[in-house]
Amino acid sequence: MKSFIFLVFATTTALLYHAKDISADLNPPNNDPMMQKSIIYDKKTPDVFYCPLAKPEGLDEMIVKARPLSKLCEHNGNPLPKGYKSDCYNDADETEYACKEKKRILKRLADTDIDKS
């Protein structure tokens, strides 16, 4: 009985260990939630978004750079060309999240324009 319990424990441990490797493959570093939240938009400056220049240690200590809104998700979620120099740390501006965020921002801007009419 003890050997059976040990075998189950060892198998479970091995599966959990390899699950971390699989998880890392399914969630590449630029899909890190911290990086997703690093795309910042301020309605007071509607023509730009802000993104980190270096790896942020936390949202309160992030150094950001203003970039034109047209640069956010400029490759529409497609693979980046070879030799592409990213606008933001870890290509945070080219993630799936960044593309969704751009759509949300453009919708908000369009709704604001309609309200002004």
Side-chain angles (χ1 to χ4, degrees):
M1 182 65 159
K2 288 181 182 180
S3 61
F4 176 74
I5 293 172
F6 177 76
L7 179 63
V8 170
F9 175 75
T11 304
T12 304
T13 303
L15 288 173
L16 290 174
Y17 179 76
H18 291 293
K20 289 180 188 175
D21 295 336
I22 294 169
S23 175
D25 292 339
L26 296 176
N27 296 309
N30 62 356
N31 284 337
D32 176 29
M34 172 63 89
M35 293 312 302
Q36 289 180 356
K37 293 177 183 174
S38 66
I39 299 293
I40 301 166
Y41 177 74
D42 184 358
K43 61 184 176 183
K44 295 176 187 172
T45 55
D47 298 333
V48 298
F49 72 98
Y50 303 89
C51 63
L53 296 173
K55 183 177 181 176
E57 297 298 322
L59 292 177
D60 56 338
E61 298 176 5
M62 189 183 315
I63 298 172
V64 296
K65 169 172 75 172
R67 302 293 303 155
L69 197 54
S70 62
K71 292 285 194 176
L72 182 59
C73 190
E74 68 183 324
H75 295 284
N76 298 315
N78 296 321
L80 301 177
K82 290 189 186 225
Y84 172 75
K85 178 147 175 30
S86 181
D87 298 317
C88 303
Y89 173 75
N90 206 15
D91 299 328
D93 59 323
E94 296 297 333
T95 62
E96 181 181 333
Y97 175 83
C99 293
K100 288 178 183 178
E101 191 68 4
K102 183 175 184 177
K103 287 178 186 177
R104 185 187 69 77
I105 291 166
L106 293 176
K107 183 177 184 313
R108 175 190 255 179
L109 290 174
D111 291 346
T112 303
D113 289 342
I114 291 171
D115 291 343
K116 289 181 181 178
S117 300

